[in-house]
Amino acid sequence: MFRTKLHKLCYSSSIEFPTETTSHYLHHRLNTFLSYKTSDLKKLHQSHAFIITTGHTNNVYIAAKLISLYASNKHHLISSKKVFALISSKDPFLWNSIIKAYFSNGYYSEALEFYSNMRGFNALPNQFTIPIVVSACAELGLIYYGKKIHGLVSKLNLFHGNNAAVGSSLVYMYSKCGFMEYAADVFDEITVRDVVSWTAIVKGYVENGESEKGLEYLCLMHKEGESEVRPNFRTLEGGFQACGNLGAFVEGKCLHGLTVKSGFGSHQVVQCSLLSMYSKCGSLEETYSSFCEVDEKDLFSWTSIIAAYAKFECIFECIDMFLKMQASGITPDGMVISCVLSGLGNAMRTFEAKAFHGFILRRNYVDDHMVCNTLLAMYFKLRLMNLAEKIFDGGTGQTTESWNMMVVGYFKAGLEGKCINLFREMQHLGIECDVNSLISVISSCSRLEEFHLGLSLHCHVVKSLMLENVSVTNSLIDMYGRSKNLSLSWRLFCMMTNKDVVTWNTMMTSYISCGKFTEAYGLFNKMIAESYKPTIATLLILLSACSHISSLEKGEKIHEYIKEVGFEKNTLLATALTDMYAKCGQLTRSREIFDSMDKRDVVSWNVLISGYAMYGEANSATEIFKQMEQSENKPNELTFLAVLSACAHAGLVEEGKSIFSRMKDYSLMPTLKHYACMADLLGRSGNLDDAEALVLSMPIAPDSAIWGSLLGSCKIHCQVEKGIRIAKHAIDSDPENDGYYVAISDLYSSVGMWEEVEMVRKIMKERKVRKEVGWSTV
């Protein structure tokens, strides 16, 4: 049928054949056809008809050319297949043509089927067949089939010679399928490597999450490659991607220089890769410069610059670029809109976020699941739970991902009850939970002390085969630790075959929360013995334990380890060491570590001031406080509480008054604890009138602790009348505290007011307040 149609076309066409067809004319016509590159189907059919009528149908080279021309349009692949089927004697050249025709059009399974038929006819593949079929295996992820072809390659000895295409295709296949060890082995076997081989190994490592190795191979290519082998734009693309993934700004700049030197700076792929790299490395200046150099700014280019501004919360620039992108005629997609939304959420720009949400609604972008999920995340960051719930309840946003996002969002917002309830609803509806939502609901049970529900979640984890996930098991260990169920925490810990540092840290924290400080320290030694490398978090946990039990010996050992691993300059660890030595009574060493710190934060200053206050070193505490005021770190509420406590213990009345009055200079409002310190300071020094006046002038209602402090001062200074008055305030604030009744009774008895003493006892009886029996520790 196919041939009949072509015959009819030939005789009905406008082609005029000479009456005497000379061999010279045929030769010229066939040569012209073999160099033909037309996509005009009518002319192609005319040429095909001429070939049939002149008896050249079985010419392999002409058939291969026909297959290629028909395949240039995927809709005419059937014609390529028919041409191939009409050839009676098929050689590897022809098989390669039909395999390539299908591969080039993305029909990878059909290409492999033709290869299988080729092998069925006992036709051996050559160095041109292998790259095509191996690449098809890569695209389909058929690693087993690819390995079989690799075996045939070795058997046919196709690795030898100057042709690197076979080896390069195998490197690509193993990389694409995630087997980088095999890819590296094949790469090492290639005797003469070309730019394709190097690019395949570089990009393979980068795309499999081993960017550092990808850069190493790129450097090796530049250093040891043959003189004619230099990185091309694809190799450089892989290099820039690696630098971006690693945040390697300096290396990226060097590669940028090589790109300019190599003449690839104007290539579109390279320009976009450069832009993406600088964006990931966080250099806004270089990102903008690279963006300006992109000749044809596509959606990817605009997304990269907008994402960079969003990442660093440059919201004005981010929105400005978004508007310019639209003005240039580029239609935004879900990705670029999500970048803007993330930037607004991170910058806590509520008004702008709502305005941009309005724009999304007007343009109907909210139907995009990516946009909808980013809106949820943004409103959770902005603490606008009602708006997040409206989006979620709207219907279009209820995907599996959005359900999980809501569970995690509720947990992060401190709404543990809602987190648990939504998770229950998910289970009822059969919606699959992810790891993050499962960890969130387990942690919610810990915070709410819903340990019975936590046990049920443990069962769910076992049933869903998620116990092998390290993060999930870590959250269970933490939950049992918080519930003081150390036996279950320890059992889970011992069962884990894939522990990470967080696992060890969590188990140590569980021991510490249960007061098992020695066991926590022992676990640290076991951790090191099993070749796990402690992190800063590990050392902070241990130093906290040493501070709690004032164990100087263990604290010093941790300090020695910190020096060994070179962490002594870390601000968090230096602060923890300052605190540990202070609580162990080693104020001199505490001060030495503080003075050696290159960078201090507010916590560092507070820790040292608190240490001096704890041991009554009020002058030193106030001296450090004054130094802090001159530093870049300004005092906070805890700073004032620590220094006022020091003044109270040392009786520094005027100093205390001056410091208390300076709180307003830092826009800090005194809390009950600050007023309690001042009342204690004035009361201890005998300034009871001032103390009482201060308490009565407080903008917040005084609690029983403040009245109790004043009552104690009245007893010390024998201020009976004032003491009785203050005791009444104390009883009103805490009517169940037996100590206040005893105190007022003692005050009445000290001046012989026995009727009042009896009245106090009667009131205690009516209110069922009983005096606690004294006990001795001896």
Side-chain angles (χ1 to χ4, degrees), residues 102-315:
Y102 275 87
F103 176 83
S104 300
N105 283 286
Y107 293 101
Y108 307 121
S109 297
E110 290 80 354
L112 288 179
E113 189 178 340
F114 274 108
Y115 170 73
S116 181
N117 292 337
M118 175 186 181
R119 296 292 294 122
F121 281 98
N122 291 321
L124 290 175
N126 57 24
Q127 69 269 30
F128 302 106
T129 322
I130 297 300
I132 304 171
V133 293
V134 166
S135 298
C137 291
E139 299 303 329
L140 296 170
L142 299 177
I143 186 66
Y144 175 73
Y145 198 62
K147 283 182 177 179
K148 288 179 69 175
I149 297 171
H150 187 179
L152 182 62
V153 167
S154 299
K155 187 176 179 181
L156 297 176
N157 207 20
L158 292 176
F159 269 127
H160 286 277
N162 293 330
N163 178 35
V166 173
S168 300
S169 63
L170 285 167
V171 171
Y172 172 73
M173 179 196 70
Y174 284 125
S175 302
K176 185 85 173 175
C177 295
F179 291 83
M180 284 312 300
E181 287 185 14
Y182 294 156
D185 289 342
V186 173
F187 181 80
D188 291 339
E189 285 185 47
I190 300 173
T191 51
V192 180
R193 300 173 187 128
D194 59 7
V195 68
V196 179
S197 313
W198 285 101
T199 303
I201 194 70
V202 169
K203 289 182 71 71
Y205 273 119
V206 174
E207 289 166 7
N208 280 282
E210 297 185 68
S211 296
E212 197 167 336
K213 280 194 174 181
L215 276 184
E216 286 176 11
Y217 271 90
L218 181 56
C219 293
L220 191 65
M221 174 188 185
H222 180 65
K223 183 180 178 181
E224 297 182 8
E226 292 81 357
S227 57
E228 67 276 6
V229 179
R230 290 287 179 266
N232 63 12
F233 69 96
R234 289 295 177 195
T235 327
L236 294 168
E237 179 189 25
F240 287 127
Q241 188 181 344
C243 292
N245 293 342
L246 296 168
F249 178 72
V250 175
E251 290 83 352
K253 290 273 285 182
C254 292
L255 192 58
H256 188 178
L258 177 64
T259 302
V260 174
K261 187 178 178 181
S262 305
F264 288 109
S266 59
H267 201 288
Q268 179 75 8
V269 171
V270 172
Q271 288 178 341
C272 291
S273 301
L274 257 174
L275 174 59
S276 177
M277 184 270 292
Y278 283 128
S279 175
K280 288 179 180 178
C281 289
S283 174
L284 285 177
E285 186 180 346
E286 293 291 348
T287 304
Y288 182 72
S289 298
S290 299
F291 176 76
C292 293
E293 288 177 10
V294 176
D295 298 323
E296 298 177 16
K297 296 176 176 65
D298 57 6
L299 181 59
F300 176 81
S301 306
W302 285 102
T303 303
S304 296
I305 187 69
I306 289 169
Y309 282 128
K311 180 181 177 182
F312 289 93
E313 301 175 15
C314 300
I315 299 304

Side-chain angles (χ1 to χ4, degrees), residues 88 116 154 320 374 380 404 484 496 509 517 542 559 577 587 607 678 694 703 729 737 773:
S88 54
S116 181
S154 299
D320 183 54
T374 313
F380 270 117
N404 285 294
K484 312 299 181 187
M496 289 180 71
T509 304
F517 301 106
L542 289 165
H559 191 181
L577 283 167
L587 287 175
V607 160
M678 282 305 297
L694 175 71
D703 63 358
H729 285 297
N737 191 318
V773 179

Side-chain angles (χ1 to χ4, degrees), residues 10-166:
C10 176
Y11 293 122
S12 63
S13 68
S14 58
I15 298 176
E16 295 182 5
F17 295 99
T19 52
E20 294 183 9
T21 306
T22 63
S23 59
H24 176 75
Y25 174 79
L26 279 173
H27 181 73
H28 172 73
R29 185 68 185 269
L30 291 174
N31 277 343
T32 303
F33 169 73
L34 288 172
S35 60
Y36 212 34
K37 293 182 180 179
T38 184
S39 57
D40 187 322
L41 186 62
K42 184 179 179 181
K43 288 184 178 180
L44 179 57
H45 278 162
Q46 289 174 350
S47 297
H48 192 176
F50 174 76
I51 289 163
I52 293 170
T53 55
T54 54
H56 289 82
T57 311
N58 280 316
N59 186 303
V60 173
Y61 296 102
I62 292 175
K65 183 66 177 180
L66 280 168
I67 289 169
S68 174
L69 289 172
Y70 279 124
S72 61
N73 187 323
K74 67 189 302 181
H75 299 295
H76 302 304
L77 264 176
I78 188 67
S79 298
S80 295
K81 187 176 181 179
K82 286 177 179 178
V83 171
F84 176 78
L86 290 173
I87 305 299
S88 54
S89 180
K90 301 176 178 71
D91 65 357
F93 179 75
L94 196 64
W95 283 104
N96 291 348
S97 298
I98 193 66
I99 293 169
K100 185 181 178 183
Y102 275 87
F103 176 83
S104 300
N105 283 286
Y107 293 101
Y108 307 121
S109 297
E110 290 80 354
L112 288 179
E113 189 178 340
F114 274 108
Y115 170 73
S116 181
N117 292 337
M118 175 186 181
R119 296 292 294 122
F121 281 98
N122 291 321
L124 290 175
N126 57 24
Q127 69 269 30
F128 302 106
T129 322
I130 297 300
I132 304 171
V133 293
V134 166
S135 298
C137 291
E139 299 303 329
L140 296 170
L142 299 177
I143 186 66
Y144 175 73
Y145 198 62
K147 283 182 177 179
K148 288 179 69 175
I149 297 171
H150 187 179
L152 182 62
V153 167
S154 299
K155 187 176 179 181
L156 297 176
N157 207 20
L158 292 176
F159 269 127
H160 286 277
N162 293 330
N163 178 35
V166 173

Side-chain angles (χ1 to χ4, degrees), residues 554-757:
K554 287 183 172 61
E556 285 177 329
K557 287 182 179 178
I558 300 296
H559 191 181
E560 287 300 317
Y561 180 82
I562 289 169
K563 288 179 180 177
E564 285 176 19
V565 295
F567 284 163
E568 66 267 28
K569 294 295 181 183
N570 182 273
T571 303
L572 290 173
L573 285 175
T575 300
L577 283 167
T578 303
D579 182 54
M580 184 272 295
Y581 279 121
K583 286 179 177 173
C584 291
Q586 302 291 312
L587 287 175
T588 304
R589 294 183 71 178
S590 180
R591 180 64 179 270
E592 285 173 359
I593 291 170
F594 178 82
D595 289 339
S596 69
M597 292 172 68
D598 295 329
K599 188 178 181 182
R600 305 182 185 104
D601 57 15
V602 177
V603 181
S604 310
W605 291 94
N606 290 354
V607 160
L608 188 63
I609 292 169
S610 298
Y612 280 125
M614 190 190 309
Y615 289 95
E617 297 280 351
N619 291 327
S620 297
T622 54
E623 174 211 332
I624 295 296
F625 175 77
K626 289 171 185 175
Q627 288 181 24
M628 182 182 183
E629 287 188 299
Q630 301 302 316
S631 73
E632 60 182 14
N633 301 121
K634 299 308 173 187
N636 60 13
E637 289 90 343
L638 292 176
T639 318
F640 279 97
L641 191 60
V643 74
L644 287 173
S645 175
C647 292
H649 283 92
L652 301 178
V653 179
E654 295 306 318
E655 190 75 26
K657 284 181 178 180
S658 173
I659 290 170
F660 183 75
S661 67
R662 288 214 289 279
M663 286 190 73
K664 64 178 180 294
D665 296 339
Y666 298 98
S667 302
L668 299 173
M669 291 293 292
T671 64
L672 277 172
K673 290 183 177 179
H674 295 100
Y675 282 111
C677 270
M678 282 305 297
D680 186 43
L681 170 62
L682 294 169
R684 281 171 183 258
S685 61
N687 297 301
L688 287 167
D689 291 338
D690 291 343
E692 187 179 14
L694 175 71
V695 173
L696 293 173
S697 67
M698 284 169 53
I700 45 180
D703 63 358
S704 60
I706 292 179
W707 291 119
S709 173
L710 277 180
L711 181 57
S713 298
C714 289
K715 288 181 69 177
I716 292 170
H717 295 284
C718 300
Q719 293 281 335
V720 177
E721 184 180 343
K722 192 182 293 294
I724 291 169
R725 186 168 64 249
I726 288 169
K728 289 178 181 178
H729 285 297
I731 290 170
D732 288 340
S733 64
D734 188 4
E736 294 183 2
N737 191 318
D738 65 303
Y740 298 148
Y741 295 95
V742 173
I744 196 171
S745 178
D746 290 344
L747 287 167
Y748 281 136
S749 62
S750 68
V751 291
M753 299 173 70
W754 303 111
E755 289 182 10
E756 283 76 6
V757 170

Side-chain angles (χ1 to χ4, degrees), residues 422-436:
L422 193 65
F423 182 80
R424 280 176 169 152
E425 192 177 346
M426 281 178 69
Q427 296 302 297
H428 177 70
L429 295 172
I431 297 169
E432 187 178 352
C433 66
D434 62 17
V435 171
N436 291 327

